[in-house]
Each structure stands twice: as structure tokens, then as C-alpha cells.
Amino acid sequence: MHDRTLWGVGTPRTFRIHWALIELALPYKTRPLETRTAPTASAEYRKLNITGKIPTLVDGDTTVSESSAIINYLATKYDSTERSLLPRDIRSIAAYHEWMSFISTELDATSLYVLRRHEGLPHIYGYAPTACAAARAYFTRMALAAAERIKDGRTFLLGTKLTGADIMMVSTLDWADHCECEYPSVLRAYREQIVAQTSYPQAVHANKAT
Ligand SMILES: N[C@@H](CCC(=O)N[C@@H](CS)C(=O)NCC(=O)O)C(=O)O
């Protein structure tokens, strides 16, 4: 059997990779590392990911970290006619990368991750209520822009099929719900359809921390 191990459970970013692996029907083992626990500082893990952050995927002799990079790696390597998380035509490929970048930077890193640091971990990163209020408002503004792009009622970001960009978006909306960040009903309806139509529930189960 192919030697494939996903390190990490319990966060929206680890969830992304469980979901991608399940959608692509790729068997894998899970090392249930939780964020900021002692095992993330072990020599064994630091050899795989020097940042000590999760998730990390080891696929045979390839090691990849960064959730969007892992999704792109899996989607590219294991693309087939039966199972695919990538669009096919060049304009959709451009839109796919646009969404991946937008979600990773505008919705994740500069909005929700600010809240995670300064509301969730103020003892490490400092208490910053002004930055948090701005991050919350920024998330809502960017979510409004995303909703505008899909208000034609499409099921998936790129039209009629699930791609890695949907995995990024839905996991980020889940995180936003957890942080009580507001986003438009168009995005809520989009999320609900995907949750009902894909292997989302299995991925939730796979990502559960023990
Ligand atoms: N940009 C990275 C972020 C990874 C990340 O920050 N992971 C969190 C858990 S969701 C973590 O391990 N944090 C531990 C720390 O900050 O030391 C990705 O998308 O994978």
C-alpha cells in the first residue's frame, strides 16, 4: 500500500486535507497531532515541518506543508477522470488559483488568523481589540466580495463541480462561524449545499481530535 500520512487533526486547516484526501478516495493514515501540543515540537515532527505547525502531508517520498499547497499537490498528482478537484479549461484554472490565493490571504491570514492570534492566544500574541475589530470587519467586506461573485446561484465556486477552492472556502466559512464572523446569506446557502452533497461529513469525522 502507498505510504501516505497526514499529520494533524482538529483545526479548519487540517480539515481541508482530510476532506481532499477523502474526496480523491486516497487511503491514508492519520497522526492525530493537535495544534500547540508537545508532539509538534518533537524532533520527529520538526524534521517534517520546521515550523511545528499542522497540517503536514507525507506522501511516499514527498513532504508538503501549508494547507493550500497540500490541496494543490494532491489535486494535481491524483487528478483522474473519475476523481478530480481541479478545473479543466485555462480560464477556470486561473479563477481556481485566484480563489485559492484570495481565501488563503484575504479570508484566512489577514482576517481569521488575526482573530485567532489576538483573541484566541492573547497571552502569546498580545491583546489587540482594535486590530480584531478591524479584522472582523475586513472579513465581512471580503466575504461580501466573494458572495457577489457567486450570486448567480452556482453550486460550486467554479460552477458545476467541487474543486480544491471549495474545500478552502467551506472550511474557512466554518472557521468564521466558530469566530462569529458575519457573512452574506449567499455564502451560507453555498456552504449548506456543499455540506449536503459531498464527503464533508466524513471529513468532519476524520478530523476529530481525540
Ligand atoms: N498557512 C498555514 C498555517 C498553519 C497553521 O498556522 N496551523 C496552526 C493550526 S490551524 C498551527 O499549527 N499553529 C501552531 C502555531 O502557531 O505554533 C496553513 O495554511 O497550513
Side-chain angles (χ1 to χ4, degrees):
M1 189 189 121
H2 191 83
D3 185 19
R4 186 178 298 115
T5 304
L6 171 56
W7 295 69
V9 292
T11 82
R13 292 174 180 137
T14 58
F15 172 70
R16 294 168 180 166
I17 316 308
H18 287 282
W19 192 3
L21 285 161
I22 293 168
E23 281 296 334
L24 292 168
L26 297 170
Y28 67 100
K29 288 176 262 175
T30 300
R31 292 288 295 259
L33 238 62
E34 292 179 50
T35 181
R36 297 184 171 279
T37 54
T40 62
S42 69
E44 184 190 15
Y45 189 60
R46 292 286 162 129
K47 249 200 306 197
L48 301 174
N49 186 339
I50 189 69
T51 68
K53 292 183 163 213
I54 50 174
T56 301
L57 177 77
V58 180
D59 185 36
D61 57 7
T62 304
T63 301
V64 197
S65 62
E66 291 294 324
S67 54
S68 66
I70 302 172
I71 292 174
N72 284 334
Y73 164 79
L74 289 170
T76 307
K77 178 156 186 190
Y78 298 104
D79 187 55
S80 70
T81 41
E82 296 79 42
R83 302 216 171 229
S84 167
L85 288 174
L86 287 176
R88 295 271 173 253
D89 65 284
I90 187 65
R91 282 177 64 174
S92 303
I93 291 169
Y96 169 87
H97 287 295
E98 196 174 43
W99 278 115
M100 293 297 273
S101 177
F102 173 79
I103 297 161
S104 302
T105 59
E106 307 304 328
L107 299 181
D108 178 326
T110 55
S111 301
L112 298 178
Y113 199 37
V114 173
L115 298 178
R116 167 70 181 144
R117 286 178 172 228
H118 299 293
E119 279 183 359
L121 301 165
H123 51 293
I124 301 169
Y125 293 108
Y127 180 63
T130 308
C132 287
R136 211 171 271 285
Y138 188 73
F139 179 88
T140 301
R141 196 179 122 215
M142 290 299 107
L144 210 63
E148 198 54 33
R149 290 183 68 178
I150 62 162
K151 69 178 184 199
D152 53 11
R154 66 183 78 177
T155 305
F156 302 101
L157 292 180
L158 293 163
T160 54
K161 109 185 179 52
L162 183 84
T163 68
D166 297 299
I167 289 178
M168 288 292 290
M169 181 61 96
V170 171
S171 59
T172 303
L173 295 177
D174 286 356
W175 188 4
D177 283 337
H178 178 77
C179 300
E180 297 181 352
C181 276
E182 285 169 26
Y183 56 85
S185 57
V186 167
L187 276 178
R188 196 160 290 287
Y190 153 84
R191 180 193 167 277
E192 276 164 20
Q193 281 201 70
I194 292 188
V195 165
Q197 288 184 24
T198 66
S199 61
Y200 174 98
Q202 293 96 294
V204 168
H205 182 72
N207 188 47
K208 275 218 161 64
T210 46

